[in-house]
Amino acid sequence: MIAFYCRYGVTPFTPLKGVLIVAPVFCCFFFAIKNMAENVASFKDGGTLWFTDLTTPDSMYIFPILTALTFWITVEVSHLFGIYYICFQ
């Protein structure tokens, strides 16, 4: 079965390891920042560059794009690591 995985470059569960580790971290950051935006007064006037008020949504969608790219890179890297780990053991 491992020869099959190496020949076709597929693994059923290895790419999920990175996602299962990183996804809870992203969720924790999201809920923490959401809670801080409601309860911390300095979020209203403590920004920089294009985001001066941290309680308003990002009108240029830079943060959602950065988050999606970071998540995508994590999935790709964990996928490649899984293939190399199985094939070169």
Side-chain angles (χ1 to χ4, degrees):
M1 192 60 120
I2 291 177
F4 176 79
Y5 289 155
C6 292
R7 186 175 342 141
Y8 293 104
V10 296
T11 58
F13 300 113
T14 306
L16 294 175
K17 285 193 286 189
V19 175
L20 292 175
I21 293 169
V22 174
V25 174
F26 277 124
C27 290
C28 290
F29 280 138
F30 172 76
F31 289 119
I33 291 173
K34 182 179 175 187
N35 188 23
M36 288 175 67
E38 296 170 355
N39 298 326
V40 178
S42 66
F43 265 43
K44 290 201 182 284
D45 57 1
T48 183
L49 298 176
W50 72 93
F51 52 95
T52 56
D53 184 2
L54 298 173
T55 60
T56 61
D58 186 11
S59 62
M60 296 174 19
Y61 298 104
I62 292 176
F63 287 137
I65 291 170
L66 284 175
T67 303
L69 284 174
T70 306
F71 192 73
W72 178 65
I73 290 169
T74 303
V75 169
E76 291 297 322
V77 167
S78 66
H79 170 70
L80 293 175
F81 174 74
I83 290 173
Y84 293 136
Y85 183 74
I86 287 177
C87 293
F88 297 116
Q89 255 188 342

